[in-house]
Amino acid sequence: MRFEVTNKALATGVSITKTGPNQIMAGQPVRYVLSDIANSSNVMLQSFYWRDTLPAEVRLDSIVTGTYNFPGTYKITYRVNGGEYRTLADNLSTSKNYTLAASATALGLASNERVTEIMFVFGQAPAGFAQVEKPMLYCTAISNITTTSFVNVADVGGTYNGVWVQAVSRWVTTVYGKPTPLPRTGY
């Protein structure tokens, strides 16, 4: 009698891609698009999330949540000036695409506060979990940008047997400042 056991190799992986404008001017709307958000593992991940860390040069206006390929619910949290996470929305359906107001006014923030991070918290993500419709962050570049470029970072992760599996995507935007006034002539 012959007995054969075949084990599928364990593979863990996650992915995320962030894109946005290559160039902006101060005060201009900025739209970031997130794609390829997935648990590409062949096992379920725990504590699955994706997060966007907003640069100081932009202010968040609204969030389009996107949709995901497995039924379930999730919540969106945000962080202000590096403080504690606060809940923006909870019990969101993975099959519905929501547009959420997230400006400083909508969130009731003080004039010296800004949203520094947005995090989508899913809990468990089965193997093959992936975004279907792309999430988007709508922001506005601040009017007094002093830098010539800035980086926006998004990351995704989850745990398998207590070990974190993570991926990062970065997007660089170049700033074109206001033109300096030309000398006046013709007096």
Side-chain angles (χ1 to χ4, degrees):
M1 183 162 114
R2 188 169 160 216
F3 184 68
E4 187 176 325
V5 176
T6 56
N7 287 337
K8 185 168 69 170
L10 170 71
T12 58
V14 292
S15 64
I16 191 167
T17 302
K18 177 176 192 123
T19 57
N22 288 319
Q23 305 162 348
I24 63 161
M25 288 187 73
Q28 180 180 339
V30 178
R31 182 185 74 158
Y32 292 110
V33 178
L34 294 116
S35 58
D36 305 320
I37 300 166
N39 171 10
S40 54
S41 309
N42 61 10
V43 293
M44 180 178 290
L45 295 179
Q46 305 295 322
S47 305
F48 189 80
Y49 74 92
W50 72 261
R51 172 176 50 197
D52 191 280
T53 304
L54 293 166
E57 290 83 359
V58 300
R59 296 295 178 264
L60 184 63
D61 295 321
S62 63
I63 300 168
V64 175
T65 62
T67 57
Y68 303 87
N69 68 348
F70 277 92
T73 59
Y74 63 97
K75 74 177 179 177
I76 299 174
T77 61
Y78 65 98
R79 192 181 238 173
V80 174
N81 295 11
E84 296 298 313
Y85 280 103
R86 306 174 189 181
T87 300
L88 175 66
D90 205 347
N91 292 315
L92 299 173
S93 169
T94 54
S95 63
K96 291 185 182 166
N97 200 357
Y98 303 91
T99 299
L100 306 172
S103 67
T105 304
L107 299 175
L109 302 182
S111 62
N112 64 339
E113 292 181 312
R114 70 175 186 88
V115 174
T116 57
E117 287 180 18
I118 291 290
M119 185 161 56
F120 284 50
V121 182
F122 293 92
Q124 294 183 335
F129 177 90
Q131 141 269 317
V132 179
E133 292 178 80
K134 296 174 182 172
M136 293 178 231
L137 301 179
Y138 288 87
C139 303
T140 303
I142 60 172
S143 57
N144 56 348
I145 295 179
T146 56
T147 57
T148 54
S149 69
F150 57 89
V151 179
N152 186 284
V153 178
D155 66 307
V156 63
T159 62
Y160 179 73
N161 283 346
V163 177
W164 279 100
V165 180
Q166 293 176 295
V168 176
S169 178
R170 291 176 176 81
W171 186 261
V172 178
T173 301
T174 302
V175 177
Y176 283 93
K178 298 173 187 158
T180 54
L182 296 171
R184 297 186 83 176
T185 59
Y187 285 99

